[in-house]
């Protein structure tokens, strides 16, 4: 199996590269080695390597900054996926594309399924939705994997921010009215590897969009509580800071955050046999997150 991976220095891409190395013919590319908005470079790379699967783990993820960098966000999150999907189709390859909970408005009660109405509330979500549409329109053999609240050992994320602030401050205000499924980047990588194994079977026809995130659902406040409990237990903190539950309105940001990011993950379990991410178990590795 020949696999082309973009964004191999990101949270998910970094772990995907580690998991795929030695198991396939892998071309893992950083932002510097492949600009996914450069159509001639993409076409040349794909024509020469002839991948059977393209995994797009590259993305513009600066949610707040996107409000003032709309053009750049759309280039990376919409134009890039479109060019990769077209290139994949040209060599009869499939594409696996990572998307986000931000495509939803975030005010539904209950969980969001793959067929729910999309209505992003900011530039980041709009650009990611445009990327989804482009992938669907330009490569029939596609898997779009929507995820949320990603954390892991590599890159910047909520867990690392909490560990740093926990050492610097005696008390912290944490948003308690936004809910979602924290998702370990290594579990996303494992899910994608499993999908690749299934794609190898020529009879595979379960193309489409899937939700994959963590369980149990939690608020940012509850997520932070567990992070500090694990960190204290592992000796990373002498004491746990006092946590104060605040509302979204108490922490204004340039981009609106979904109040509800709970993704329904039954489809990926039923059709592909992939269980949701166990984020509580993943936090056992918290010593490696520094």
């Amino acid at each position: 199996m020949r696999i082309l991976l973009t964004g191999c220095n990101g949270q998910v891409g970094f772990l995907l590269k580690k998991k795929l190395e030695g198991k396939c013919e892998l071309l893992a590319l950083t932002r510097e080695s492949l600009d996914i908005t450069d159509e001639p470079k993409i076409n040349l790379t794909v024509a020469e390597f002839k991948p059977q699967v393209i995994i797009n783990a590259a993305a513009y993820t600066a949610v707040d900054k996107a409000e003032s960098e709309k053009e750049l966000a759309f280039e990376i999150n919409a134009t890039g996926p479109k060019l990769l999907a077209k290139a994949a189709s040209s060599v009869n390859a499939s594409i696996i594309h990572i998307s986000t909970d931000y495509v939803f408005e975030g005010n539904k009660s209950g969980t969001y399924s793959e067929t729910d109405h999309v209505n992003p509330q900011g530039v980041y979500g709009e650009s990611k939705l445009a990327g989804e549409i482009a992938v669907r329109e330009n490569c029939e053999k596609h898997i779009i994997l929507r995820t949320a609240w990603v954390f892991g050992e590599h890159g910047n994320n909520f867990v690392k921010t909490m560990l740093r602030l926990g050492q610097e401050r005696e008390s912290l205000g944490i948003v308690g009215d936004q809910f979602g499924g924290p998702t370990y980047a290594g579990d996303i990588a494992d899910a994608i590897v499993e999908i690749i194994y299934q794609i190898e079977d020529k009879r595979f026809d379960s193309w489409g969009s899937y939700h994959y995130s963590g369980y149990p659902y939690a608020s940012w406040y509850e997520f932070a509580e567990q992070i500090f409990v694990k960190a204290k237990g592992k000796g990373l903190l002498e004491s746990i800071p006092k946590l104060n539950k605040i509302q979204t309105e108490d922490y204004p940001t340039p981009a609106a955050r979904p109040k509800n990011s709970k993704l329904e993950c039954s489809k990926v379990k039923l059709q592909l046999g992939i269980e949701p991410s166990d984020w509580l178990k993943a936090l056992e590795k918290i010593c490696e997150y520094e």
Side-chain angles (χ1 to χ4, degrees):
M1 176 74 83
R2 289 186 307 281
I3 298 172
L4 188 155
L5 168 65
T6 67
C8 71
N9 274 346
Q11 284 197 90
V12 176
F14 180 82
L15 294 173
L16 259 172
K17 181 183 176 185
K18 289 180 69 174
K19 292 175 185 294
L20 289 171
E21 282 178 330
K23 296 181 180 178
C24 64
E25 192 176 341
L26 178 66
L27 180 59
L29 300 168
T30 64
R31 184 186 305 172
E32 290 72 30
S33 55
L34 181 66
D35 177 355
I36 65 168
T37 68
D38 185 339
E39 185 168 14
K41 183 71 179 291
I42 288 173
N43 290 341
L44 179 63
T45 302
V46 169
E48 289 181 344
F49 184 63
K50 293 183 174 58
Q52 292 155 286
V53 178
I54 293 176
I55 306 170
N56 182 33
Y60 179 105
T61 57
V63 175
D64 289 324
K65 214 172 177 182
E67 295 299 308
S68 58
E69 294 186 344
K70 182 172 182 176
E71 186 176 342
L72 180 60
F74 268 81
E75 281 182 6
I76 297 170
N77 290 344
T79 302
K82 176 181 179 179
L83 298 178
L84 289 168
K86 287 175 66 177
S89 189
S90 72
V91 293
N92 196 32
S94 54
I95 184 168
I96 300 173
H97 175 67
I98 301 172
S99 193
T100 175
D101 57 299
Y102 275 74
V103 300
F104 295 113
E105 189 170 356
N107 60 1
K108 178 187 177 182
S109 60
T111 57
Y112 278 98
S113 72
E114 289 83 353
T115 57
D116 276 326
H117 176 66
V118 289
N119 185 24
Q121 296 299 292
V123 171
Y124 169 69
E126 291 169 356
S127 67
K128 291 296 288 183
L129 176 58
E132 287 189 10
I133 294 168
V135 167
R136 291 189 192 100
E137 289 180 346
N138 289 281
C139 186
E140 183 178 350
K141 297 193 297 183
H142 67 265
I143 297 286
I144 294 168
L145 202 65
R146 290 180 184 144
T147 190
W149 296 22
V150 181
F151 70 94
E153 302 92 327
H154 185 79
N156 298 317
N157 54 67
F158 185 74
V159 173
K160 289 187 176 183
T161 299
M162 289 299 101
L163 290 176
R164 175 175 55 80
L165 293 177
Q167 293 172 335
E168 297 172 355
R169 302 182 188 177
E170 294 182 356
S171 67
L172 292 169
I174 308 294
V175 174
D177 63 345
Q178 294 174 18
F179 296 86
T183 315
Y184 174 50
D187 289 339
I188 300 172
D190 283 337
I192 290 173
V193 170
E194 172 58 29
I195 291 169
I196 290 167
Y197 285 145
Q198 295 190 32
I199 288 174
E200 277 192 287
D201 186 336
K202 302 301 182 186
R203 296 168 296 178
F204 181 85
D205 63 354
S206 298
W207 307 107
S209 300
Y210 293 87
H211 287 174
Y212 181 81
S213 67
Y215 191 81
Y217 303 118
S219 67
W220 289 112
Y221 179 88
E222 291 165 336
F223 189 17
E225 279 187 317
Q226 290 301 318
I227 292 167
F228 288 125
V229 167
K230 298 293 186 187
K232 177 78 162 48
K234 298 287 186 179
L236 298 180
L237 294 174
E238 289 185 10
S239 61
I240 296 175
K242 183 181 187 311
L243 300 184
N244 302 306
K245 191 181 293 186
I246 64 173
Q247 303 300 297
T248 298
E249 292 73 21
D250 300 326
Y251 188 71
T253 55
R257 264 60 175 174
K259 287 284 189 78
N260 176 13
S261 289
K262 293 185 283 188
L263 299 179
E264 174 58 54
C265 299
S266 56
K267 180 183 175 184
V268 76
K269 181 177 179 179
L270 290 170
Q271 293 197 16
L272 304 179
I274 296 172
E275 297 285 344
S277 172
D278 186 341
W279 63 271
L280 288 166
K281 181 179 178 182
L283 283 180
E284 293 294 336
K285 301 178 182 180
I286 202 164
C287 287
E288 302 171 20
Y289 290 25
E290 289 189 290

